[in-house]
mmCIF file of all heavy atoms in Angstrom:
data_model
loop_
_atom_site.group_PDB
_atom_site.id
_atom_site.type_symbol
_atom_site.label_atom_id
_atom_site.label_comp_id
_atom_site.label_asym_id
_atom_site.label_seq_id
_atom_site.Cartn_x
_atom_site.Cartn_y
_atom_site.Cartn_z
ATOM 1 N N ARG A 1 1.416 -38.418 -68.819
ATOM 2 C CA ARG A 1 1.269 -37.031 -69.283
ATOM 3 C C ARG A 1 1.841 -36.876 -70.696
ATOM 4 O O ARG A 1 1.258 -36.171 -71.532
ATOM 5 C CB ARG A 1 1.967 -36.073 -68.317
ATOM 6 C CG ARG A 1 1.208 -35.863 -67.013
ATOM 7 C CD ARG A 1 2.033 -35.060 -66.048
ATOM 8 N NE ARG A 1 1.292 -34.697 -64.838
ATOM 9 C CZ ARG A 1 1.857 -34.308 -63.705
ATOM 10 N NH1 ARG A 1 3.182 -34.212 -63.623
ATOM 11 N NH2 ARG A 1 1.129 -33.991 -62.664
ATOM 12 N N ASN A 2 2.982 -37.498 -70.952
ATOM 13 C CA ASN A 2 3.577 -37.429 -72.292
ATOM 14 C C ASN A 2 2.620 -37.975 -73.340
ATOM 15 O O ASN A 2 2.470 -37.400 -74.435
ATOM 16 C CB ASN A 2 4.894 -38.210 -72.320
ATOM 17 C CG ASN A 2 6.010 -37.524 -71.558
ATOM 18 O OD1 ASN A 2 5.935 -36.331 -71.259
ATOM 19 N ND2 ASN A 2 7.044 -38.273 -71.222
ATOM 20 N N THR A 3 1.967 -39.089 -73.014
ATOM 21 C CA THR A 3 0.992 -39.675 -73.934
ATOM 22 C C THR A 3 -0.156 -38.694 -74.177
ATOM 23 O O THR A 3 -0.582 -38.482 -75.321
ATOM 24 C CB THR A 3 0.437 -40.995 -73.370
ATOM 25 O OG1 THR A 3 1.508 -41.928 -73.227
ATOM 26 C CG2 THR A 3 -0.633 -41.576 -74.292
ATOM 27 N N GLY A 4 -0.645 -38.083 -73.099
ATOM 28 C CA GLY A 4 -1.740 -37.121 -73.236
ATOM 29 C C GLY A 4 -1.379 -35.940 -74.123
ATOM 30 O O GLY A 4 -2.170 -35.522 -74.975
ATOM 31 N N VAL A 5 -0.171 -35.424 -73.947
ATOM 32 C CA VAL A 5 0.297 -34.293 -74.762
ATOM 33 C C VAL A 5 0.340 -34.678 -76.237
ATOM 34 O O VAL A 5 -0.012 -33.880 -77.121
ATOM 35 C CB VAL A 5 1.680 -33.806 -74.278
ATOM 36 C CG1 VAL A 5 2.278 -32.809 -75.268
ATOM 37 C CG2 VAL A 5 1.574 -33.161 -72.903
ATOM 38 N N SER A 6 0.745 -35.896 -76.517
ATOM 39 C CA SER A 6 0.863 -36.326 -77.918
ATOM 40 C C SER A 6 -0.494 -36.382 -78.621
ATOM 41 O O SER A 6 -0.562 -36.341 -79.855
ATOM 42 C CB SER A 6 1.551 -37.705 -78.000
ATOM 43 O OG SER A 6 0.703 -38.730 -77.494
ATOM 44 N N PHE A 7 -1.597 -36.483 -77.862
ATOM 45 C CA PHE A 7 -2.939 -36.516 -78.443
ATOM 46 C C PHE A 7 -3.626 -35.155 -78.408
ATOM 47 O O PHE A 7 -4.720 -35.000 -78.959
ATOM 48 C CB PHE A 7 -3.810 -37.549 -77.712
ATOM 49 C CG PHE A 7 -3.567 -38.970 -78.131
ATOM 50 C CD1 PHE A 7 -2.575 -39.728 -77.534
ATOM 51 C CD2 PHE A 7 -4.323 -39.547 -79.143
ATOM 52 C CE1 PHE A 7 -2.342 -41.037 -77.907
ATOM 53 C CE2 PHE A 7 -4.093 -40.856 -79.538
ATOM 54 C CZ PHE A 7 -3.100 -41.604 -78.929
ATOM 55 N N ALA A 8 -3.030 -34.179 -77.737
ATOM 56 C CA ALA A 8 -3.655 -32.865 -77.585
ATOM 57 C C ALA A 8 -3.705 -32.124 -78.912
ATOM 58 O O ALA A 8 -2.785 -32.202 -79.721
ATOM 59 C CB ALA A 8 -2.897 -32.037 -76.561
ATOM 60 N N THR A 9 -4.787 -31.364 -79.126
ATOM 61 C CA THR A 9 -4.949 -30.612 -80.377
ATOM 62 C C THR A 9 -5.230 -29.137 -80.145
ATOM 63 O O THR A 9 -5.225 -28.355 -81.091
ATOM 64 C CB THR A 9 -6.112 -31.200 -81.213
ATOM 65 O OG1 THR A 9 -7.334 -31.057 -80.474
ATOM 66 C CG2 THR A 9 -5.880 -32.666 -81.539
ATOM 67 N N ALA A 10 -5.494 -28.727 -78.910
ATOM 68 C CA ALA A 10 -5.855 -27.330 -78.631
ATOM 69 C C ALA A 10 -4.627 -26.432 -78.608
ATOM 70 O O ALA A 10 -3.489 -26.896 -78.599
ATOM 71 C CB ALA A 10 -6.593 -27.244 -77.295
ATOM 72 N N ARG A 11 -4.866 -25.131 -78.586
ATOM 73 C CA ARG A 11 -3.770 -24.155 -78.528
ATOM 74 C C ARG A 11 -3.021 -24.256 -77.195
ATOM 75 O O ARG A 11 -1.805 -24.152 -77.146
ATOM 76 C CB ARG A 11 -4.314 -22.733 -78.686
ATOM 77 C CG ARG A 11 -3.230 -21.652 -78.610
ATOM 78 C CD ARG A 11 -3.859 -20.266 -78.550
ATOM 79 N NE ARG A 11 -4.611 -19.962 -79.760
ATOM 80 C CZ ARG A 11 -4.054 -19.460 -80.862
ATOM 81 N NH1 ARG A 11 -2.753 -19.218 -80.885
ATOM 82 N NH2 ARG A 11 -4.784 -19.194 -81.912
ATOM 83 N N TRP A 12 -3.775 -24.466 -76.109
ATOM 84 C CA TRP A 12 -3.201 -24.527 -74.771
ATOM 85 C C TRP A 12 -3.369 -25.917 -74.177
ATOM 86 O O TRP A 12 -4.348 -26.619 -74.472
ATOM 87 C CB TRP A 12 -3.871 -23.520 -73.823
ATOM 88 C CG TRP A 12 -3.711 -22.087 -74.216
ATOM 89 C CD1 TRP A 12 -4.610 -21.312 -74.883
ATOM 90 C CD2 TRP A 12 -2.573 -21.245 -73.983
ATOM 91 N NE1 TRP A 12 -4.119 -20.041 -75.064
ATOM 92 C CE2 TRP A 12 -2.866 -19.965 -74.518
ATOM 93 C CE3 TRP A 12 -1.332 -21.426 -73.342
ATOM 94 C CZ2 TRP A 12 -1.966 -18.903 -74.448
ATOM 95 C CZ3 TRP A 12 -0.441 -20.370 -73.266
ATOM 96 C CH2 TRP A 12 -0.761 -19.123 -73.821
ATOM 97 N N VAL A 13 -2.424 -26.311 -73.315
ATOM 98 C CA VAL A 13 -2.511 -27.581 -72.591
ATOM 99 C C VAL A 13 -2.501 -27.294 -71.099
ATOM 100 O O VAL A 13 -1.666 -26.521 -70.611
ATOM 101 C CB VAL A 13 -1.355 -28.535 -72.957
ATOM 102 C CG1 VAL A 13 -1.398 -29.793 -72.090
ATOM 103 C CG2 VAL A 13 -1.402 -28.895 -74.439
ATOM 104 N N MET A 14 -3.427 -27.912 -70.389
ATOM 105 C CA MET A 14 -3.497 -27.816 -68.927
ATOM 106 C C MET A 14 -3.431 -29.224 -68.359
ATOM 107 O O MET A 14 -4.034 -30.149 -68.903
ATOM 108 C CB MET A 14 -4.791 -27.119 -68.487
ATOM 109 C CG MET A 14 -5.024 -27.112 -66.993
ATOM 110 S SD MET A 14 -6.605 -26.328 -66.533
ATOM 111 C CE MET A 14 -6.106 -24.609 -66.531
ATOM 112 N N PHE A 15 -2.713 -29.395 -67.250
ATOM 113 C CA PHE A 15 -2.611 -30.691 -66.598
ATOM 114 C C PHE A 15 -3.452 -30.693 -65.332
ATOM 115 O O PHE A 15 -3.398 -29.756 -64.524
ATOM 116 C CB PHE A 15 -1.148 -31.022 -66.264
ATOM 117 C CG PHE A 15 -0.270 -31.114 -67.488
ATOM 118 C CD1 PHE A 15 0.526 -30.041 -67.876
ATOM 119 C CD2 PHE A 15 -0.266 -32.255 -68.273
ATOM 120 C CE1 PHE A 15 1.318 -30.110 -69.015
ATOM 121 C CE2 PHE A 15 0.517 -32.332 -69.417
ATOM 122 C CZ PHE A 15 1.314 -31.257 -69.787
ATOM 123 N N LEU A 16 -4.231 -31.767 -65.161
ATOM 124 C CA LEU A 16 -5.091 -31.926 -63.998
ATOM 125 C C LEU A 16 -4.883 -33.333 -63.455
ATOM 126 O O LEU A 16 -5.057 -34.315 -64.172
ATOM 127 C CB LEU A 16 -6.562 -31.715 -64.403
ATOM 128 C CG LEU A 16 -7.635 -32.030 -63.355
ATOM 129 C CD1 LEU A 16 -7.509 -31.099 -62.152
ATOM 130 C CD2 LEU A 16 -9.036 -31.910 -63.983
ATOM 131 N N ASP A 17 -4.488 -33.440 -62.190
ATOM 132 C CA ASP A 17 -4.319 -34.757 -61.586
ATOM 133 C C ASP A 17 -5.694 -35.361 -61.305
ATOM 134 O O ASP A 17 -6.665 -34.651 -61.035
ATOM 135 C CB ASP A 17 -3.507 -34.672 -60.295
ATOM 136 C CG ASP A 17 -2.014 -34.465 -60.573
ATOM 137 O OD1 ASP A 17 -1.598 -34.639 -61.734
ATOM 138 O OD2 ASP A 17 -1.280 -34.121 -59.629
ATOM 139 N N SER A 18 -5.765 -36.676 -61.342
ATOM 140 C CA SER A 18 -7.053 -37.362 -61.249
ATOM 141 C C SER A 18 -7.701 -37.262 -59.882
ATOM 142 O O SER A 18 -8.884 -37.596 -59.737
ATOM 143 C CB SER A 18 -6.872 -38.840 -61.615
ATOM 144 O OG SER A 18 -5.942 -39.458 -60.726
ATOM 145 N N ASP A 19 -6.972 -36.803 -58.866
ATOM 146 C CA ASP A 19 -7.558 -36.649 -57.533
ATOM 147 C C ASP A 19 -7.792 -35.182 -57.165
ATOM 148 O O ASP A 19 -8.091 -34.859 -56.018
ATOM 149 C CB ASP A 19 -6.698 -37.323 -56.462
ATOM 150 C CG ASP A 19 -5.219 -36.973 -56.573
ATOM 151 O OD1 ASP A 19 -4.890 -36.028 -57.319
ATOM 152 O OD2 ASP A 19 -4.400 -37.641 -55.937
ATOM 153 N N ASP A 20 -7.652 -34.275 -58.139
ATOM 154 C CA ASP A 20 -7.864 -32.848 -57.913
ATOM 155 C C ASP A 20 -9.043 -32.345 -58.754
ATOM 156 O O ASP A 20 -9.599 -33.097 -59.565
ATOM 157 C CB ASP A 20 -6.607 -32.045 -58.260
ATOM 158 C CG ASP A 20 -5.428 -32.422 -57.371
ATOM 159 O OD1 ASP A 20 -5.662 -32.895 -56.243
ATOM 160 O OD2 ASP A 20 -4.273 -32.247 -57.813
ATOM 161 N N VAL A 21 -9.388 -31.066 -58.593
ATOM 162 C CA VAL A 21 -10.510 -30.495 -59.363
ATOM 163 C C VAL A 21 -10.186 -29.055 -59.765
ATOM 164 O O VAL A 21 -9.384 -28.377 -59.120
ATOM 165 C CB VAL A 21 -11.832 -30.491 -58.559
ATOM 166 C CG1 VAL A 21 -12.302 -31.901 -58.285
ATOM 167 C CG2 VAL A 21 -11.691 -29.708 -57.257
ATOM 168 N N LEU A 22 -10.838 -28.599 -60.843
ATOM 169 C CA LEU A 22 -10.807 -27.191 -61.216
ATOM 170 C C LEU A 22 -11.890 -26.439 -60.462
ATOM 171 O O LEU A 22 -12.935 -27.013 -60.135
ATOM 172 C CB LEU A 22 -11.021 -27.024 -62.726
ATOM 173 C CG LEU A 22 -9.948 -27.577 -63.660
ATOM 174 C CD1 LEU A 22 -10.253 -27.165 -65.099
ATOM 175 C CD2 LEU A 22 -8.559 -27.120 -63.263
ATOM 176 N N LEU A 23 -11.633 -25.154 -60.214
ATOM 177 C CA LEU A 23 -12.578 -24.316 -59.475
ATOM 178 C C LEU A 23 -13.086 -23.180 -60.358
ATOM 179 O O LEU A 23 -12.301 -22.514 -61.021
ATOM 180 C CB LEU A 23 -11.903 -23.713 -58.227
ATOM 181 C CG LEU A 23 -11.302 -24.713 -57.230
ATOM 182 C CD1 LEU A 23 -10.547 -23.961 -56.150
ATOM 183 C CD2 LEU A 23 -12.403 -25.575 -56.618
ATOM 184 N N ASN A 24 -14.365 -22.947 -60.320
ATOM 185 C CA ASN A 24 -14.967 -21.882 -61.127
ATOM 186 C C ASN A 24 -14.523 -20.499 -60.704
ATOM 187 O O ASN A 24 -14.700 -19.523 -61.454
ATOM 188 C CB ASN A 24 -16.495 -21.975 -61.043
ATOM 189 C CG ASN A 24 -17.067 -22.881 -62.102
ATOM 190 O OD1 ASN A 24 -16.685 -22.783 -63.264
ATOM 191 N ND2 ASN A 24 -17.945 -23.778 -61.714
ATOM 192 N N SER A 25 -13.945 -20.374 -59.513
ATOM 193 C CA SER A 25 -13.563 -19.050 -59.010
ATOM 194 C C SER A 25 -12.578 -18.350 -59.936
ATOM 195 O O SER A 25 -12.524 -17.125 -59.996
ATOM 196 C CB SER A 25 -12.935 -19.180 -57.613
ATOM 197 O OG SER A 25 -11.845 -20.082 -57.630
ATOM 198 N N GLY A 26 -11.791 -19.116 -60.667
ATOM 199 C CA GLY A 26 -10.788 -18.501 -61.542
ATOM 200 C C GLY A 26 -11.204 -18.365 -62.992
ATOM 201 O O GLY A 26 -10.363 -18.079 -63.860
ATOM 202 N N ALA A 27 -12.496 -18.547 -63.272
ATOM 203 C CA ALA A 27 -12.964 -18.516 -64.664
ATOM 204 C C ALA A 27 -12.604 -17.243 -65.415
ATOM 205 O O ALA A 27 -12.103 -17.311 -66.555
ATOM 206 C CB ALA A 27 -14.481 -18.745 -64.706
ATOM 207 N N PRO A 28 -12.798 -16.033 -64.840
ATOM 208 C CA PRO A 28 -12.440 -14.818 -65.595
ATOM 209 C C PRO A 28 -10.970 -14.775 -65.986
ATOM 210 O O PRO A 28 -10.621 -14.379 -67.101
ATOM 211 C CB PRO A 28 -12.788 -13.687 -64.620
ATOM 212 C CG PRO A 28 -13.817 -14.269 -63.717
ATOM 213 C CD PRO A 28 -13.425 -15.701 -63.534
ATOM 214 N N SER A 29 -10.096 -15.190 -65.065
ATOM 215 C CA SER A 29 -8.664 -15.191 -65.362
ATOM 216 C C SER A 29 -8.321 -16.185 -66.457
ATOM 217 O O SER A 29 -7.530 -15.904 -67.351
ATOM 218 C CB SER A 29 -7.860 -15.528 -64.104
ATOM 219 O OG SER A 29 -8.006 -14.521 -63.130
#
């Protein structure tokens, strides 16, 4: 994760584990 953060360029950083998924249900939020 530290390595990933060092390459990030966006305003916000989100962490996602490789065995999980994002859900569209929260898109408006």
Side-chain angles (χ1 to χ4, degrees):
R1 285 173 173 162
N2 288 343
T3 298
V5 170
S6 70
F7 280 87
T9 62
R11 179 189 296 275
W12 298 99
V13 175
M14 173 182 277
F15 298 99
L16 172 63
D17 285 347
S18 60
D19 48 13
D20 297 335
V21 294
L22 294 187
L23 302 174
N24 272 313
S25 56
S29 295

